[in-house]
Amino acid sequence: MAEQARQRRAAPWAPPVLSGDRLEAGLRNLEIDVRRRLDGLLQGNHLGLVPGPGSEAGEARPYQPGDDVRRMDWAVTARMTQPHIRETIADRELETWVGMDLSPSLDFGTAVCAKRDLAICALAAVTHLTRGGGNRIGAVVATGQRTDRYPARGGLAHARGLLRKVAETPLAPEGTRGDLAEVLEALRRPPRRRGLVVVVSDFLGEVNWLRALRGLSNRHELLAVEILDPRDVELPDVGSVVLADPESGRQREVHTTPLLRKEFAAAAAAHRTEVASALRTVGAGHLVLRTDSDWIADMVRFVMARKRRWSGA
């Protein structure tokens, strides 16, 4: 913990402390970060983070390779004798649901913060960037021991209260196994108004949630936020070390030989590739946030990349 505190001081982009008597101050600082740094960089346009091209007709522009031919404007194409597509504007009233996986595997972090803190940062970004204009946001939060449901409502008071309640969610005891598929099913049933579904998880473990995610994709726009720590993808060269699985309670002492480190990195890369492929299959946006990286900069890069794809740039 002392090392993590030192790293926080050395990294101005580190998430604030979101526990104990520093929770309220941390949530206020987080709101300021989202509004000033993130919303400012995105020019106040929360639609870059959210449901993609939208549904209301906008301006027409020349067709570019990679554009969706279903958006072709044949009337303009006939007049201009050059293929044109019709840009679309996202609806102004949006209902967002966030599925938060706060299982014990997220109560861990070796960089500037725990993965759980970064997950709450992701929730704060989605909450504050989609707030206003009649928009509503709700959440399903699961730790493996309990599942809390917060109805979708609008307004600043609800947004702040939602963040506080999620941040105050008690940690599940070690040995509790999370179930992401169950979280996704809780988002599917009962059927909700069409909108945006954001899934925040480290996506560790068996990929048994694809069917539930595909069911959500039939009705909603999807955004998956993958929370990672450096130790999720590689082992340090530290000699003998005890590895523990927080969701099963099992421990094993290993010696981090070059061969073991190589095999661990290969297995972690294979799993991440499987997760990315599954998310791509259902058409979900895939944002990766790491505890050793500037989460706001990573989010901005993700949003800008999505906007370039939508515009055909």
Side-chain angles (χ1 to χ4, degrees):
M1 295 300 291
E3 176 63 18
Q4 202 168 81
R6 185 191 66 79
Q7 290 180 335
R8 280 182 188 267
R9 290 192 296 269
W13 44 263
V17 177
L18 299 172
S19 60
D21 56 359
R22 302 178 64 179
L23 174 61
E24 289 296 331
L27 290 175
R28 285 197 299 270
N29 290 337
L30 188 55
E31 182 177 344
I32 291 172
D33 282 344
V34 171
R35 287 186 169 183
R36 292 185 180 177
R37 292 183 60 198
L38 188 54
D39 193 31
L41 288 171
L42 298 180
Q43 300 176 341
N45 185 3
H46 71 266
L47 303 176
L49 184 66
V50 212
S55 58
E56 297 180 8
E59 297 181 354
R61 64 166 176 80
Y63 172 86
Q64 297 179 2
D67 286 337
D68 189 345
V69 295
R70 293 173 297 180
R71 295 163 57 195
M72 191 75 72
D73 191 318
W74 296 109
V76 176
T77 297
R79 289 198 305 270
M80 304 297 292
T81 67
Q82 179 184 1
H84 276 67
I85 66 167
R86 178 65 62 177
E87 294 279 16
T88 51
I89 304 171
D91 296 330
R92 287 288 137 183
E93 188 173 307
L94 175 72
E95 182 166 298
T96 302
W97 279 90
V98 182
M100 292 283 292
D101 171 19
L102 294 184
S103 55
S105 65
L106 278 92
D107 302 332
F108 166 78
T110 61
V112 298
C113 65
K115 292 193 290 183
R116 181 187 178 103
D117 292 339
L118 199 53
I120 295 173
C121 288
L123 173 63
V126 173
T127 299
H128 290 302
L129 290 178
T130 61
R131 185 176 57 79
N135 296 340
R136 296 176 296 279
I137 185 167
V140 175
V141 182
T143 65
Q145 183 184 46
R146 55 184 283 178
T147 299
D148 297 318
R149 294 171 175 82
Y150 303 102
R153 294 173 182 163
L156 179 59
H158 169 69
R160 289 173 173 172
L162 174 64
L163 286 170
R164 184 180 302 106
K165 290 175 183 176
V166 174
E168 291 175 342
T169 301
L171 276 63
E174 186 174 334
T176 302
R177 185 170 296 280
D179 189 348
L180 181 57
E182 183 179 330
V183 178
L184 299 179
E185 287 294 343
L187 290 172
R188 285 185 63 194
R189 308 178 191 282
R192 308 179 193 278
R193 175 180 176 176
R194 292 183 183 273
L196 171 71
V197 169
V198 181
V199 182
V200 183
S201 175
D202 56 11
F203 294 97
L204 296 180
E206 184 181 355
V207 182
N208 60 353
W209 37 262
L210 183 56
R211 181 177 180 180
L213 196 63
R214 184 177 287 114
L216 284 169
S217 70
N218 293 332
R219 187 173 180 85
H220 306 281
E221 293 286 340
L222 294 178
L223 172 61
V225 183
E226 185 178 8
I227 309 296
L228 289 178
D229 185 82
R231 298 291 80 82
D232 290 333
V233 295
E234 61 182 3
L235 287 177
D237 186 8
V238 293
S240 295
V241 64
V242 176
L243 300 181
D245 181 358
E247 297 197 10
S248 67
R250 292 184 298 176
Q251 296 184 351
R252 183 175 180 180
E253 183 176 359
V254 299
H255 187 72
T256 55
T257 62
L259 177 59
L260 176 64
R261 294 173 62 210
K262 181 178 179 180
E263 291 177 344
F264 182 92
H271 178 73
R272 291 194 63 203
T273 299
E274 183 183 10
V275 169
S277 176
L279 295 175
R280 189 165 52 248
T281 298
V282 299
H286 184 194
L287 169 61
V288 179
L289 300 180
R290 291 175 56 113
T291 59
D292 61 347
S293 180
D294 186 339
W295 66 278
I296 288 183
D298 291 339
M299 191 168 286
V300 169
R301 282 191 288 267
F302 169 79
V303 170
M304 294 307 180
R306 281 168 68 91
K307 284 184 176 181
R308 283 195 293 270
R309 283 198 299 272
W310 294 332
S311 66

